[in-house]
Amino acid sequence: PAPHLQSYKDRADRHTNLAARALLRCMDAKKTNLAVSVDVTRTKDFFDIIEAVAPYVCLIKTHIDILEDWEPSVTAKLQMLASEHNFLIFEDRKFADIGNTVALQYSSGIYKISDWAHIVNAHPVPGPSVITGLASVGMKSKETRGLLLLAEMSTKGALTTGNYTVDAVRMARQYREFVIGFIAQRRMEGVGASETDITAEEDFLILAPGVGLDAKGDAMGQQYRTPTEVVTECGCDVIIVGRGIIGTGRDIDVEVVKRQAQRYQAAGWEAYENRVAR
Ligand code: S5P
């Protein structure tokens, strides 16, 4: 059967990339396909949110460069929490430059992303060299690292359609040891593939942003769908939720954050169970 009709556990047992395997294992163990996007600018809020949602997530998604009071201890603490609470870390860096530059952006600068992020993502726009550049760092790491390609975006008017998406999937197929899946809105197995392109062991994870239970969008082009639409109907594996959980106000209410995380975990898991039971 296609990957999305199999259980996360079976897929974990079979997956050859260690980061993908760890993520699927964690999803199965914690019964969650929820990733929380911790898009805040103060380190205190950042950790308050992570500690509140940790039991309910498989993945914490960061934009490390928006923290105004970042210091090296932040990423050290993040790593500690990840092992303590069993979740993976996804730095949403959206690399999009020549191979040499992305390798430096991944490994160096003040953030040294490859030291602490299990998963990163890249725009396919530069072509395969963006993958090989990042792989030159990620595949050397002793740790388990994986890359997601942005095959589709959630925003109104996004240019990630048609042949662009098809070519993104073709690129990923050439580098299956490092590219573990896509940021996308639906499954990608059928996209741009002739029968012979797809091997039985191909299992790309689909992580979908643009998920909300209450809002349909924001004032800046974001569009939301529900976990049922995203997971049951479109076959995505992980729901990425930011403001639906952390809210839009300046102050963080950890009790609300915790309740919303529980709510999205339950909705995401039910949507998954409805899918594999079909
Ligand atoms: O197409 C995309 C890709 C990403 S990674 N659309 C997105 O919204 N994202 C990210 O997901 C975005 O950068 C943000 O961190 C998160 C969505 O946040 P929310 O508050 O709208 O749920």
Side-chain angles (χ1 to χ4, degrees):
H4 67 291
L5 301 176
Q6 303 169 30
S7 70
Y8 294 139
K9 179 171 186 310
D10 287 349
R11 293 168 67 184
D13 292 343
R14 242 172 278 135
H15 215 290
T16 48
N17 176 284
L18 294 176
R21 185 185 278 240
L23 181 61
L24 288 160
R25 283 233 168 94
C26 170
M27 292 163 74
D28 174 61
K30 291 173 79 177
K31 294 202 183 319
T32 178
N33 51 22
L34 172 64
V36 171
S37 186
V38 194
D39 299 342
V40 291
T41 57
R42 293 179 296 213
T43 296
K44 180 180 184 311
D45 292 341
F46 181 77
F47 284 119
D48 284 352
I49 291 168
I50 292 172
E51 299 204 22
V53 305
Y56 316 111
V57 300
C58 56
L59 191 64
I60 287 289
K61 186 174 86 59
T62 58
H63 283 297
I64 204 69
D65 59 352
I66 66 177
L67 286 174
E68 289 172 350
D69 50 355
W70 181 88
E71 46 175 276
S73 68
V74 169
T75 29
K77 181 169 172 188
L78 178 61
Q79 278 179 290
M80 223 180 58
L81 290 170
S83 59
E84 187 181 325
H85 295 281
N86 187 24
F87 61 76
L88 277 77
I89 306 166
F90 166 21
E91 164 57 23
D92 185 4
R93 175 63 181 75
K94 298 188 179 72
F95 296 103
D97 212 320
I98 63 167
N100 186 61
T101 300
V102 297
L104 291 168
Q105 290 171 324
Y106 186 22
S107 64
S108 308
I110 57 173
Y111 299 120
K112 304 189 189 350
I113 294 167
S114 62
D115 285 357
W116 51 270
H118 304 95
I119 297 171
V120 293
N121 55 355
H123 285 297
V125 68
S129 54
V130 73
I131 302 177
T132 51
L134 293 167
S136 76
V137 175
M139 302 274 286
K140 259 204 325 239
S141 161
K142 289 191 302 293
E143 308 284 332
T144 55
R145 301 289 177 250
L147 175 67
L148 302 166
L149 289 185
L150 286 122
E152 290 178 329
M153 290 198 70
S154 60
T155 35
K156 227 170 272 167
L159 306 183
T160 50
T161 61
N163 280 340
Y164 184 93
T165 303
V166 169
D167 289 341
V169 178
R170 289 207 178 116
M171 259 169 62
R173 287 206 170 97
Q174 304 301 309
Y175 300 94
R176 284 209 350 245
E177 326 76 64
F178 188 49
V179 180
I180 61 170
F182 303 98
I183 297 292
Q185 301 289 307
R186 62 196 159 106
R187 292 218 69 80
M188 291 286 133
E189 273 81 19
V191 174
S194 63
E195 297 287 302
T196 52
D197 286 342
I198 310 177
T199 61
E201 65 277 16
E202 175 172 306
D203 183 358
F204 288 120
L205 304 179
I206 309 288
L207 281 68
V211 178
L213 283 164
D214 304 315
K216 284 275 148 242
D218 68 9
M220 297 189 215
Q222 178 67 297
Q223 307 177 109
Y224 292 119
R225 298 179 302 163
T226 64
T228 303
E229 291 173 282
V230 168
V231 176
T232 316
E233 291 165 22
C234 295
C236 301
D237 297 309
V238 173
I239 54 171
I240 298 175
V241 184
R243 286 163 291 176
I245 289 174
I246 68 177
T248 51
R250 189 174 148 74
D251 293 315
I252 301 296
D253 182 334
V254 289
E255 281 312 311
V256 173
V257 169
K258 190 178 164 140
R259 257 201 323 275
Q260 290 291 29
Q262 285 170 324
R263 180 176 171 227
Y264 278 90
Q265 177 199 9
W269 196 257
E270 192 192 338
Y272 158 72
E273 289 193 317
N274 288 340
R275 168 172 106 196
V276 287
R278 274 181 174 186

mmCIF file of all heavy atoms in Angstrom, residues 39-60:
data_model
loop_
_atom_site.group_PDB
_atom_site.id
_atom_site.type_symbol
_atom_site.label_atom_id
_atom_site.label_comp_id
_atom_site.label_asym_id
_atom_site.label_seq_id
_atom_site.Cartn_x
_atom_site.Cartn_y
_atom_site.Cartn_z
ATOM 1 N N ASP A 39 6.839 30.610 16.782
ATOM 2 C CA ASP A 39 7.218 31.866 16.117
ATOM 3 C C ASP A 39 7.077 33.057 17.058
ATOM 4 O O ASP A 39 6.160 33.865 16.921
ATOM 5 C CB ASP A 39 6.367 32.062 14.858
ATOM 6 C CG ASP A 39 6.577 30.947 13.845
ATOM 7 O OD1 ASP A 39 7.591 30.231 13.941
ATOM 8 O OD2 ASP A 39 5.717 30.786 12.954
ATOM 9 N N VAL A 40 7.984 33.139 18.015
ATOM 10 C CA VAL A 40 7.988 34.264 18.959
ATOM 11 C C VAL A 40 9.388 34.867 19.018
ATOM 12 O O VAL A 40 10.360 34.223 18.619
ATOM 13 C CB VAL A 40 7.558 33.829 20.385
ATOM 14 C CG1 VAL A 40 6.081 33.457 20.410
ATOM 15 C CG2 VAL A 40 8.414 32.669 20.891
ATOM 16 N N THR A 41 9.473 36.093 19.521
ATOM 17 C CA THR A 41 10.740 36.828 19.455
ATOM 18 C C THR A 41 11.486 36.879 20.790
ATOM 19 O O THR A 41 12.607 37.337 20.846
ATOM 20 C CB THR A 41 10.492 38.270 18.968
ATOM 21 O OG1 THR A 41 9.547 38.895 19.849
ATOM 22 C CG2 THR A 41 9.932 38.273 17.544
ATOM 23 N N ARG A 42 10.823 36.457 21.872
ATOM 24 C CA ARG A 42 11.485 36.477 23.185
ATOM 25 C C ARG A 42 11.795 35.051 23.636
ATOM 26 O O ARG A 42 10.927 34.171 23.589
ATOM 27 C CB ARG A 42 10.591 37.153 24.236
ATOM 28 C CG ARG A 42 10.397 38.643 23.968
ATOM 29 C CD ARG A 42 9.504 39.275 25.004
ATOM 30 N NE ARG A 42 8.152 38.736 24.965
ATOM 31 C CZ ARG A 42 7.057 39.435 25.238
ATOM 32 N NH1 ARG A 42 7.146 40.707 25.593
ATOM 33 N NH2 ARG A 42 5.867 38.871 25.196
ATOM 34 N N THR A 43 13.025 34.849 24.098
ATOM 35 C CA THR A 43 13.466 33.519 24.508
ATOM 36 C C THR A 43 12.596 32.951 25.625
ATOM 37 O O THR A 43 12.307 31.757 25.647
ATOM 38 C CB THR A 43 14.943 33.583 24.941
ATOM 39 O OG1 THR A 43 15.695 33.940 23.797
ATOM 40 C CG2 THR A 43 15.430 32.265 25.456
ATOM 41 N N LYS A 44 12.160 33.798 26.526
ATOM 42 C CA LYS A 44 11.329 33.292 27.626
ATOM 43 C C LYS A 44 10.028 32.701 27.077
ATOM 44 O O LYS A 44 9.636 31.591 27.453
ATOM 45 C CB LYS A 44 11.013 34.405 28.637
ATOM 46 C CG LYS A 44 10.156 33.884 29.774
ATOM 47 C CD LYS A 44 9.798 34.926 30.806
ATOM 48 C CE LYS A 44 9.013 34.315 31.967
ATOM 49 N NZ LYS A 44 7.885 33.456 31.599
ATOM 50 N N ASP A 45 9.382 33.419 26.175
ATOM 51 C CA ASP A 45 8.153 32.906 25.556
ATOM 52 C C ASP A 45 8.438 31.605 24.796
ATOM 53 O O ASP A 45 7.654 30.653 24.838
ATOM 54 C CB ASP A 45 7.570 33.935 24.574
ATOM 55 C CG ASP A 45 7.054 35.173 25.289
ATOM 56 O OD1 ASP A 45 6.809 35.103 26.507
ATOM 57 O OD2 ASP A 45 6.900 36.215 24.626
ATOM 58 N N PHE A 46 9.552 31.599 24.103
ATOM 59 C CA PHE A 46 9.968 30.435 23.317
ATOM 60 C C PHE A 46 9.977 29.182 24.196
ATOM 61 O O PHE A 46 9.353 28.170 23.879
ATOM 62 C CB PHE A 46 11.356 30.746 22.739
ATOM 63 C CG PHE A 46 11.967 29.698 21.864
ATOM 64 C CD1 PHE A 46 11.541 29.522 20.554
ATOM 65 C CD2 PHE A 46 13.024 28.908 22.334
ATOM 66 C CE1 PHE A 46 12.145 28.568 19.728
ATOM 67 C CE2 PHE A 46 13.628 27.960 21.515
ATOM 68 C CZ PHE A 46 13.182 27.783 20.210
ATOM 69 N N PHE A 47 10.652 29.281 25.338
ATOM 70 C CA PHE A 47 10.738 28.092 26.210
ATOM 71 C C PHE A 47 9.449 27.833 26.987
ATOM 72 O O PHE A 47 9.108 26.681 27.242
ATOM 73 C CB PHE A 47 11.945 28.194 27.143
ATOM 74 C CG PHE A 47 13.230 27.917 26.420
ATOM 75 C CD1 PHE A 47 14.227 28.881 26.331
ATOM 76 C CD2 PHE A 47 13.441 26.687 25.791
ATOM 77 C CE1 PHE A 47 15.405 28.620 25.636
ATOM 78 C CE2 PHE A 47 14.608 26.423 25.089
ATOM 79 C CZ PHE A 47 15.596 27.396 25.019
ATOM 80 N N ASP A 48 8.720 28.879 27.340
ATOM 81 C CA ASP A 48 7.427 28.652 28.001
ATOM 82 C C ASP A 48 6.510 27.831 27.088
ATOM 83 O O ASP A 48 5.830 26.893 27.530
ATOM 84 C CB ASP A 48 6.743 29.985 28.340
ATOM 85 C CG ASP A 48 7.370 30.660 29.553
ATOM 86 O OD1 ASP A 48 8.225 30.018 30.213
ATOM 87 O OD2 ASP A 48 7.022 31.828 29.839
ATOM 88 N N ILE A 49 6.500 28.197 25.809
ATOM 89 C CA ILE A 49 5.647 27.474 24.852
ATOM 90 C C ILE A 49 6.132 26.035 24.690
ATOM 91 O O ILE A 49 5.348 25.084 24.758
ATOM 92 C CB ILE A 49 5.624 28.206 23.484
ATOM 93 C CG1 ILE A 49 4.877 29.521 23.613
ATOM 94 C CG2 ILE A 49 4.991 27.319 22.402
ATOM 95 C CD1 ILE A 49 5.038 30.448 22.422
ATOM 96 N N ILE A 50 7.431 25.869 24.500
ATOM 97 C CA ILE A 50 7.954 24.515 24.277
ATOM 98 C C ILE A 50 7.650 23.617 25.477
ATOM 99 O O ILE A 50 7.222 22.473 25.317
ATOM 100 C CB ILE A 50 9.461 24.556 23.952
ATOM 101 C CG1 ILE A 50 9.664 25.225 22.583
ATOM 102 C CG2 ILE A 50 10.065 23.148 23.951
ATOM 103 C CD1 ILE A 50 11.093 25.509 22.225
ATOM 104 N N GLU A 51 7.838 24.148 26.684
ATOM 105 C CA GLU A 51 7.567 23.302 27.851
ATOM 106 C C GLU A 51 6.080 22.968 27.966
ATOM 107 O O GLU A 51 5.721 21.871 28.394
ATOM 108 C CB GLU A 51 8.127 23.965 29.116
ATOM 109 C CG GLU A 51 9.651 24.105 28.946
ATOM 110 C CD GLU A 51 10.448 24.191 30.235
ATOM 111 O OE1 GLU A 51 9.951 23.741 31.276
ATOM 112 O OE2 GLU A 51 11.577 24.714 30.182
ATOM 113 N N ALA A 52 5.231 23.905 27.536
ATOM 114 C CA ALA A 52 3.779 23.640 27.608
ATOM 115 C C ALA A 52 3.330 22.606 26.572
ATOM 116 O O ALA A 52 2.448 21.793 26.834
ATOM 117 C CB ALA A 52 2.996 24.946 27.410
ATOM 118 N N VAL A 53 3.926 22.620 25.383
ATOM 119 C CA VAL A 53 3.426 21.735 24.317
ATOM 120 C C VAL A 53 4.205 20.425 24.192
ATOM 121 O O VAL A 53 3.757 19.501 23.498
ATOM 122 C CB VAL A 53 3.417 22.447 22.927
ATOM 123 C CG1 VAL A 53 2.615 23.750 22.990
ATOM 124 C CG2 VAL A 53 4.822 22.717 22.402
ATOM 125 N N ALA A 54 5.351 20.338 24.863
ATOM 126 C CA ALA A 54 6.268 19.201 24.668
ATOM 127 C C ALA A 54 5.601 17.817 24.718
ATOM 128 O O ALA A 54 5.908 16.968 23.879
ATOM 129 C CB ALA A 54 7.427 19.275 25.663
ATOM 130 N N PRO A 55 4.690 17.565 25.663
ATOM 131 C CA PRO A 55 4.110 16.204 25.709
ATOM 132 C C PRO A 55 3.245 15.870 24.502
ATOM 133 O O PRO A 55 2.953 14.698 24.268
ATOM 134 C CB PRO A 55 3.225 16.237 26.970
ATOM 135 C CG PRO A 55 3.632 17.439 27.734
ATOM 136 C CD PRO A 55 4.195 18.405 26.757
ATOM 137 N N TYR A 56 2.823 16.891 23.753
ATOM 138 C CA TYR A 56 1.822 16.686 22.697
ATOM 139 C C TYR A 56 2.399 16.747 21.288
ATOM 140 O O TYR A 56 1.660 16.643 20.316
ATOM 141 C CB TYR A 56 0.698 17.734 22.838
ATOM 142 C CG TYR A 56 0.273 17.898 24.282
ATOM 143 C CD1 TYR A 56 0.547 19.061 24.996
ATOM 144 C CD2 TYR A 56 -0.349 16.837 24.938
ATOM 145 C CE1 TYR A 56 0.195 19.180 26.328
ATOM 146 C CE2 TYR A 56 -0.703 16.945 26.272
ATOM 147 C CZ TYR A 56 -0.425 18.117 26.965
ATOM 148 O OH TYR A 56 -0.757 18.228 28.289
ATOM 149 N N VAL A 57 3.709 16.953 21.157
ATOM 150 C CA VAL A 57 4.288 17.148 19.818
ATOM 151 C C VAL A 57 5.339 16.096 19.478
ATOM 152 O O VAL A 57 5.994 15.529 20.357
ATOM 153 C CB VAL A 57 4.952 18.541 19.676
ATOM 154 C CG1 VAL A 57 3.933 19.644 19.908
ATOM 155 C CG2 VAL A 57 6.148 18.696 20.617
ATOM 156 N N CYS A 58 5.497 15.879 18.167
ATOM 157 C CA CYS A 58 6.599 15.051 17.684
ATOM 158 C C CYS A 58 7.753 15.931 17.226
ATOM 159 O O CYS A 58 8.887 15.466 17.101
ATOM 160 C CB CYS A 58 6.133 14.168 16.527
ATOM 161 S SG CYS A 58 5.412 15.072 15.143
ATOM 162 N N LEU A 59 7.447 17.201 16.996
ATOM 163 C CA LEU A 59 8.422 18.082 16.359
ATOM 164 C C LEU A 59 8.192 19.516 16.830
ATOM 165 O O LEU A 59 7.044 19.947 16.955
ATOM 166 C CB LEU A 59 8.189 17.986 14.840
ATOM 167 C CG LEU A 59 9.174 18.582 13.863
ATOM 168 C CD1 LEU A 59 10.527 17.885 13.967
ATOM 169 C CD2 LEU A 59 8.644 18.444 12.434
ATOM 170 N N ILE A 60 9.301 20.209 17.097
ATOM 171 C CA ILE A 60 9.237 21.649 17.355
ATOM 172 C C ILE A 60 9.884 22.346 16.163
ATOM 173 O O ILE A 60 11.010 22.020 15.783
ATOM 174 C CB ILE A 60 9.983 22.017 18.659
ATOM 175 C CG1 ILE A 60 9.190 21.557 19.900
ATOM 176 C CG2 ILE A 60 10.277 23.522 18.730
ATOM 177 C CD1 ILE A 60 7.909 22.325 20.198
#
